[in-house]
Amino acid sequence: MGLDDSDDPSNEPGSPEEETTAQAELSSASQSESSAQPPASHLTNGDSQPDDASDSADPSQSIEDMLLEFDDQKGLIRERALLDPNYVVEEDRIVGRDRQLQEVTKMLRVALGDNRPPNLFLYGPSGTGKSLITKAVCHNISRICKSRDIQFGTIEVNCQDLDTLGIAVYELVQQAADEAGVAVEVPKHGVATKEKWDELYRIVNEHFDSVVFVLDELDMLVGRRDKQVPAFSRLLYQLSRAGTNDDLNAYISVVAISNDTKMMESVGSRAVSSFTPEDVHFDDYDADQLQSILRRRQDAFHEDVVDDAVIPLAAAFAAQTHGDARKAIDLMRVAGELAEREGDTRVREEHVRTAQAKVEKNRVLEVVRGISTQKKLCLYATAAVASQTDSGSARSTTGYRVYQYLTDAIDADQYHQETYVNKMKELTTYSLVDFERRSHGPSSGMFLEFQFGERPETILETLREDSRIEAVSEDEVNSVVKAQIRNQT
């Protein structure tokens, strides 16, 4: 019996555990500090610090006081859900996606009757409405089906943080159980993946007439490296075959969502023949569309607290990074929260600019925390080159030589240039970097040129939070980069 394939060791060199160590050190420091303070139970609201405290002139403020003080403030944000990019909004708030909305609706609407909807492949850059439209259509189908006594379910998983096929199937089981309001009867680990599939089929057959499986960011589900076919291909094959193999009695449709326009090229031939999706393409939002999206969510704030320059500026920032509506909405949310914390009466342009720097860094931090040390080194070397070029891009040949310097400096394993390039290509799935094949004349040969979706300086600053990279002199790296750029042919 084949066991769950979720416990495979990584082939990458061991990643540092600096976050765990830092947390342990922080915990130790907190305990030491707390032992020097009087017990909390001895303090009452309004008590002053002991006479030897450095701020003894100021009365202390309890947690309850601070909470109630904030509660008494009017605040600027009226409905925070509207500033959540994942919130299912009303149809009139969906902007610039009329064609895609019609296509998805027309193809999935057959779930309202006794028919199986087609499978769909929704592709395009991040933040262009793929998940939003799918959720909106499925939400409306569910509402209508309920009135017709049809048991319709939407089983959605985001594959970005799922390592293997076994983990992905269990996540589908968990989501199906949550949708049906029942308990899962198989463990997450220690059983064959087939038992998880059987549990998924049981829940769906017992509780649903029709189901749409939504597999968001499906291309991120690569799975174990010793498998010839990527995990997302095996997942598509199994789900799309379940109906024809009589494993599922319910009508099912699989909606695969990806930022990678070429994902289907990596799907195995058997999966392609059984999946056979209808394609729906989503292109970038332009600045005008982003402004319209934000204006339709402006009522998330109280009336007349958002300066006129705020929405155009947030839209302009988001338009610079592939027209990402998620980023535009996040900018508005963070700007509003910054203004509230500062006690300002309005959301102003300076709050958006501060939010832009914060959101950009947070996004990069979220990505780089989850990648291996080798990918961090590749990314750092390439961003260091891009930060010093007029075009803001980096040749793969130059980036590799800086990568060699970094691995020597920290005594890390050093891979060949082909592996360096492949790791950089893998990072394109995070929308941090993109590449084009270039040639600067007959003598230079062919090379890849990497461009960054975020400022290279932000990536460098974030990566230096890794203690191993921080140990390398920033000035020395810059000197190596400048020397290598001069040597470019």
Side-chain angles (χ1 to χ4, degrees):
M1 178 177 70
L3 291 180
D4 183 352
D5 61 356
S6 62
D7 298 321
D8 61 298
S10 170
N11 291 341
E12 296 287 0
S15 300
E17 299 180 354
E18 62 272 15
E19 292 176 24
T20 304
T21 303
Q23 289 172 356
E25 292 174 351
L26 181 60
S27 175
S28 175
S30 299
Q31 291 171 3
S32 299
E33 183 178 343
S34 63
S35 65
Q37 300 292 332
S41 59
H42 293 171
L43 297 177
T44 58
N45 294 352
D47 284 344
S48 299
Q49 294 289 340
D51 293 339
D52 59 348
S54 60
D55 56 350
S56 58
D58 298 322
S60 64
Q61 189 177 28
S62 71
I63 294 175
E64 182 180 0
D65 287 342
M66 288 187 286
L67 291 172
L68 293 176
E69 179 184 51
F70 181 78
D71 194 43
D72 289 339
Q73 294 175 0
K74 179 183 178 183
L76 302 175
I77 301 175
R78 182 184 62 84
E79 188 174 350
R80 294 181 188 274
L82 288 174
L83 299 177
D84 178 359
N86 297 314
Y87 179 68
V88 181
V89 296
E90 298 86 353
E91 186 176 339
D92 60 357
R93 296 183 191 270
I94 299 176
V95 177
R97 290 295 176 260
D98 292 345
R99 177 182 61 80
Q100 292 89 344
L101 184 60
Q102 286 185 359
E103 288 184 23
V104 173
T105 301
K106 287 180 179 178
M107 285 185 278
L108 291 184
R109 66 183 178 183
V110 298
L112 296 173
D114 194 21
N115 294 284
R116 186 186 77 83
N119 297 323
L120 305 181
F121 176 46
L122 277 53
Y123 64 96
S126 177
T128 51
K130 303 182 296 296
S131 301
L132 174 68
I133 283 181
T134 304
K135 290 177 181 179
V137 172
C138 288
H139 179 75
N140 278 276
I141 291 174
S142 179
R143 181 174 51 81
I144 297 173
C145 282
K146 188 175 182 179
S147 68
R148 298 181 179 182
D149 200 26
I150 298 172
Q151 302 302 311
F152 173 82
T154 305
I155 301 173
E156 178 187 3
V157 297
N158 189 305
C159 300
Q160 182 174 2
D161 299 320
L162 305 181
D163 298 326
T164 64
L165 178 62
I167 294 296
V169 177
Y170 186 84
E171 186 66 19
L172 287 173
V173 172
Q174 186 65 65
Q175 295 301 320
D178 290 347
E179 183 84 351
V182 298
V184 177
E185 296 181 4
V186 298
K188 186 173 185 177
H189 300 291
V191 299
T193 303
K194 184 181 183 304
E195 291 188 41
K196 299 175 186 179
W197 279 116
D198 290 342
E199 177 69 354
L200 177 64
Y201 300 153
R202 180 190 70 81
I203 293 173
V204 171
N205 285 334
E206 290 180 3
H207 298 280
F208 299 102
D209 300 316
S210 182
V211 166
V212 173
F213 290 97
V214 181
L215 310 177
D216 206 352
E217 300 194 64
L218 180 59
D219 55 288
M220 302 296 288
L221 181 64
V222 178
R224 289 173 49 170
R225 295 181 178 89
D226 60 346
K227 299 289 185 180
Q228 293 183 343
V229 180
F232 62 74
S233 179
R234 289 178 280 147
L235 182 63
L236 284 177
Y237 176 75
Q238 192 76 17
L239 276 178
S240 55
R241 291 284 295 173
T244 57
N245 288 345
D246 295 328
D247 292 316
L248 286 175
N249 301 324
Y251 293 109
I252 70 164
S253 171
V254 180
V255 179
I257 301 177
S258 174
N259 301 339
D260 184 1
T261 59
K262 298 181 180 180
M263 189 202 79
M264 290 302 297
E265 296 177 8
S266 302
V267 175
S269 57
R270 291 198 308 164
V272 169
S273 64
S274 60
F275 181 44
T276 57
E278 299 285 347
D279 293 355
V280 184
H281 175 246
F282 289 70
D283 48 8
D284 294 337
Y285 289 111
D286 59 33
D288 290 338
Q289 290 173 325
L290 290 171
Q291 283 198 46
S292 297
I293 290 170
L294 295 181
R295 293 197 188 284
R296 280 171 171 78
R297 298 194 184 216
Q298 188 172 348
D299 57 331
F301 295 89
H302 287 287
E303 190 174 353
D304 197 31
V305 300
V306 177
D307 278 1
D308 292 341
V310 164
I311 286 179
L313 183 60
F317 277 135
Q320 291 172 4
T321 52
H322 311 297
D324 190 332
R326 289 177 179 271
K327 180 168 184 177
I329 296 167
D330 266 345
L331 278 175
M332 290 290 289
R333 175 184 60 80
V334 176
E337 290 174 350
L338 286 170
E340 282 186 331
R341 285 199 291 270
E342 292 172 6
D344 208 323
T345 58
R346 300 184 63 78
V347 184
R348 307 179 190 278
E349 184 177 334
E350 56 264 31
H351 296 129
V352 179
R353 295 189 182 279
T354 304
Q356 159 70 2
K358 183 176 180 179
V359 168
E360 187 178 67
K361 185 172 181 180
N362 286 349
R363 179 171 172 271
V364 175
L365 185 62
E366 181 181 348
V367 171
V368 301
R369 274 181 172 167
I371 64 178
S372 67
T373 299
Q374 280 292 328
K375 284 183 180 177
K376 288 180 181 179
L377 292 171
C378 294
L379 185 61
Y380 188 87
T382 312
V385 174
S387 69
Q388 304 260 357
T389 61
D390 294 336
S391 62
S393 60
R395 296 188 189 184
S396 57
T397 48
T398 310
Y400 179 67
R401 288 193 286 271
V402 178
Y403 160 81
Q404 288 178 305
Y405 166 78
L406 289 173
T407 53
D408 287 340
I410 67 171
D411 194 26
D413 291 341
Q414 188 174 108
Y415 292 124
H416 295 298
Q417 184 169 344
E418 180 183 0
T419 304
Y420 156 81
V421 168
N422 286 336
K423 290 188 180 298
M424 286 302 300
K425 285 182 177 178
E426 290 175 18
L427 288 167
T428 61
T429 60
Y430 298 98
S431 301
L432 281 183
V433 64
D434 205 347
F435 67 89
E436 292 183 9
R437 192 170 295 277
R438 299 272 192 186
S439 174
H440 285 186
S443 62
S444 68
M446 298 295 296
F447 56 87
L448 295 183
E449 188 169 79
F450 294 101
Q451 302 93 26
F452 287 85
E454 309 288 358
R455 293 185 311 113
E457 293 79 9
T458 301
I459 293 173
L460 293 171
E461 180 184 349
T462 307
L463 284 168
R464 289 193 70 82
E465 295 182 11
D466 186 311
S467 58
R468 299 184 73 186
I469 292 177
E470 186 186 26
V472 183
S473 168
E474 195 170 358
D475 291 339
E476 289 182 15
V477 174
N478 290 337
S479 297
V480 171
V481 169
K482 290 175 182 177
Q484 295 302 329
I485 291 175
R486 286 196 299 270
N487 292 334
Q488 285 183 167
T489 56

